[in-house]
């Protein structure tokens, strides 16, 4: 095995879970381990309930014989909770380990009310989801949370978030874990993973719709503007979680941004900026979600401003595309409609080199509001069942 050369039980699980080796013989070949050793390590995974036997595979030998029994990751042994926070709204879901949503809910949750209030409320939402789906808190192996700000993935804390007052440096993991325990009666704390919302949206979309794309960029345009980047199947976060914060690139305008600077892209092209311009023109709009509703209703002024905003974003994305050379550029969020996408394409293809866009697909979100939830669930599973972490958990289980 790459890196360790031992072929631990966690390594074998990774091979089965990713589909790279799904029979005992294939595991022997991939790891170089003996049949007996593979059997011993698989036994640990069976006892933990993480693997199961599937149907017999094809007979490889021309002499015939018994078909090989396939091995499968058993996604019934646990569930994952996920939540995705926007500035004034949130969604939460209960998912299987393979990303199927078993129950979900959404509603008003204002990040400006502060982390204690918001995370406490999420604990109640999680309890309701478990009851609705008929699962107990002891079945939850982890919680994933997306937030609209830069996150240091090592600590799970947001770092100087422009639109999350009171959250800077807050212990999100600890508070959400306590809220879950308090509201569900769970006997033990569960691990909590926190990441930027655009990162998790990008992760969910790339894994489910574009798994073969080695460089994937998602741009979320809602109250603010942020980008998630997935390279070779992994989220690219930068040194401390600040990668993808394109909403605060200066575009030369004089508009005041919520970060305190003038001329940020988010100040002129976000859902909040478009809503502000509509309100100044006498059209009732206070947020990106209001703009989304106006666009869905075919409001001409909203469409014109969305297209103009798209052109501003497209101008910045020409640089992003030239730098990263992605295969897919996905537009998501409240403004991700025809008018905005048209504006993006106008400036993107005008400003970027043809070499950078020759193999680029510019698309809109497939998962919609579920993208962040699916990404958060996947992040938890990839963390908990990664080889070294899986080995630690097996030892803790006593198998």
């Amino acid at each position: 095995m790459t890196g360790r050369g031992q072929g631990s039980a966690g390594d074998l699980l990774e091979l089965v879970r990713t589909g790279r080796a799904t029979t005992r013989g294939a595991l022997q070949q991939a790891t170089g381990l003996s049949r007996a050793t593979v059997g011993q390590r698989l036994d640990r995974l069976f006892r933990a309930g993480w693997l199961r036997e599937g149907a017999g595979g094809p007979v490889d030998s021309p002499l015939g014989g018994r078909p090989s029994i396939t091995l499968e990751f058993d996604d019934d042994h646990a569930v994952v909770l996920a939540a995705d926070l926007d500035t004034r709204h949130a969604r939460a879901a209960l998912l299987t380990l393979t990303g199927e949503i078993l129950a979900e809910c959404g509603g008003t949750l204002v990040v400006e009310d502060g982390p204690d209030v918001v995370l406490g409320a999420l604990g109640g939402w999680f309890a309701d989801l478990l009851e609705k789906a008929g699962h107990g808190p002891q079945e939850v192996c982890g919680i994933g949370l997306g937030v609209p700000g830069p996150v240091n993935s090592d600590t799970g804390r947001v770092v100087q978030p422009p639109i999350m007052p009171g959250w800077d440096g807050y212990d999100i993991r600890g508070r959400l874990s306590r809220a879950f325990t308090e509201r569900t009666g769970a006997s033990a704390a569960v691990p909590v993973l926190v990441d930027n919302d655009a990162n998790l949206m990008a992760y969910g979309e790339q894994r489910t719709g574009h798994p073969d794309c080695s460089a994937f960029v998602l741009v979320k345009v809602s109250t603010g503007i942020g980008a998630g980047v997935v390279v070779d199947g992994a989220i690219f976060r930068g040194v401390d979680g600040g990668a993808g914060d394109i909403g605060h690139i200066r575009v030369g305008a004089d508009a005041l941004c919520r970060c305190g600077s003038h001329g940020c892209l988010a100040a002129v092209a976000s859902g909040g900026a478009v809503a502000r311009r509509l309100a100044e023109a006498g059209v009732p709009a206070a947020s990106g979600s209001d703009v989304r509703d106006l666009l869905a209703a075919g409001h001409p002024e909203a469409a014109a401003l969305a297209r103009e905003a798209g052109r501003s974003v497209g101008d910045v994305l020409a640089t992003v595309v030239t730098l990263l050379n992605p295969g897919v550029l996905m537009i998501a969020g409240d403004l991700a409609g025809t008018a905005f996408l048209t504006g993006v394409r106008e400036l993107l293809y005008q400003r970027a080199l043809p070499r950078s866009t020759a193999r680029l697909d510019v698309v809109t979100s497939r998962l919609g509001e579920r993208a962040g939830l699916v990404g958060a669930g996947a992040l938890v599973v990839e963390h908990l069942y990664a080889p070294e972490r899986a080995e630690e958990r097996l030892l803790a289980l006593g198998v």
Side-chain angles (χ1 to χ4, degrees), residues 34-52:
S34 69
R35 180 178 179 179
T37 302
V38 167
Q40 291 168 357
R41 293 179 182 174
L42 287 178
D43 183 60
R44 297 178 66 200
L45 298 171
F46 283 122
R47 282 187 284 142
W50 294 1
L51 283 188
R52 63 188 172 206

Side-chain angles (χ1 to χ4, degrees), residues 12-396:
L12 269 59
L13 177 68
E14 179 83 353
L15 288 169
V16 173
R17 199 168 60 82
T18 58
R20 286 179 286 164
T22 57
T23 66
R24 287 169 173 80
L27 289 169
Q28 286 178 242
Q29 187 174 15
T31 61
L33 298 174
S34 69
R35 180 178 179 179
T37 302
V38 167
Q40 291 168 357
R41 293 179 182 174
L42 287 178
D43 183 60
R44 297 178 66 200
L45 298 171
F46 283 122
R47 282 187 284 142
W50 294 1
L51 283 188
R52 63 188 172 206
E53 290 187 340
V59 178
D60 296 328
S61 171
L63 300 177
R66 296 174 59 187
S68 300
I69 300 299
T70 59
L71 302 169
E72 300 174 349
F73 179 58
D74 190 343
D75 66 341
D76 292 332
H77 71 271
V79 291
V80 175
L81 284 163
D84 187 18
L85 295 180
D86 209 329
T87 52
R88 304 190 63 81
H89 187 269
R91 297 189 68 82
L94 180 71
L95 303 96
T96 68
L97 298 181
T98 50
E100 177 189 352
I101 292 181
L102 301 173
E104 62 184 313
C105 64
T108 300
L109 210 53
V110 182
V111 293
E112 289 187 353
D113 288 343
D116 189 58
V117 171
V118 170
L119 299 174
L122 283 180
W125 288 20
F126 289 159
D128 292 342
L129 287 171
L130 287 168
E131 183 177 358
K132 179 180 178 181
H135 286 272
Q138 73 281 357
E139 298 176 71
V140 178
C141 65
I143 297 172
L145 175 66
V147 298
V151 177
N152 183 321
S153 61
D154 291 334
T155 64
R157 300 174 187 246
V158 292
V159 182
Q160 299 177 0
I163 57 176
M164 299 179 69
W167 290 72
D168 185 22
Y170 187 86
D171 181 15
I172 297 174
R173 289 176 178 171
R175 178 66 181 102
L176 188 53
S177 181
R178 289 194 302 276
F180 170 77
T181 301
E182 292 164 0
R183 298 302 296 269
T184 65
S187 58
V190 298
V192 176
L193 272 69
V194 186
D195 212 323
N196 172 262
D197 55 354
N199 283 349
L200 294 180
M201 291 174 69
Y203 198 49
E205 295 278 8
Q206 188 271 338
R207 287 175 59 86
T208 59
H210 304 273
D212 297 326
C213 180
S214 60
F216 179 95
V217 176
L218 177 143
V219 178
K220 178 186 179 184
V221 187
S222 291
T223 300
I225 300 175
V229 180
V230 180
V231 177
D232 292 334
I235 297 172
F236 179 77
R237 300 182 176 88
V239 295
D240 64 0
D245 202 3
I246 65 170
H248 300 285
I249 292 175
R250 306 293 175 83
V251 294
D254 192 45
L256 177 64
C257 182
R258 293 182 66 172
C259 73
S261 298
H262 287 81
C264 293
L265 180 64
V268 298
S270 65
V274 173
R276 187 164 55 252
R277 292 185 63 182
L278 286 168
E280 291 170 355
V283 179
S287 65
S289 59
D290 291 336
V291 177
R292 179 190 61 208
D293 294 341
L294 290 168
L295 291 171
H299 193 282
E301 192 162 359
L305 289 174
R307 182 168 178 171
E308 183 181 334
R311 288 171 59 86
S312 296
V313 173
D315 196 10
V316 169
L317 290 179
T319 300
V320 172
V321 165
T322 301
L323 178 65
L324 296 177
N325 189 209
V328 175
L329 172 63
M330 180 174 284
I331 307 299
D334 292 330
L335 266 60
T338 301
F340 185 85
L341 194 62
T342 298
V344 168
R345 285 177 166 149
E346 285 175 357
L347 262 289
L348 172 62
Y349 288 106
Q350 177 183 326
R351 299 292 171 84
L353 290 171
R355 169 71 179 78
S356 301
T357 58
R359 299 175 59 190
L360 176 69
D361 289 332
V362 182
V363 299
T364 54
S365 171
R366 294 177 57 178
L367 296 176
E369 292 183 329
R370 290 178 164 180
L373 298 173
V374 172
L379 189 72
V380 170
V381 172
E382 291 302 318
H383 171 73
L384 292 180
Y385 295 92
E388 292 184 3
R389 179 64 177 144
E391 195 65 31
E392 294 173 2
R393 295 176 64 215
L394 288 170
L395 291 172

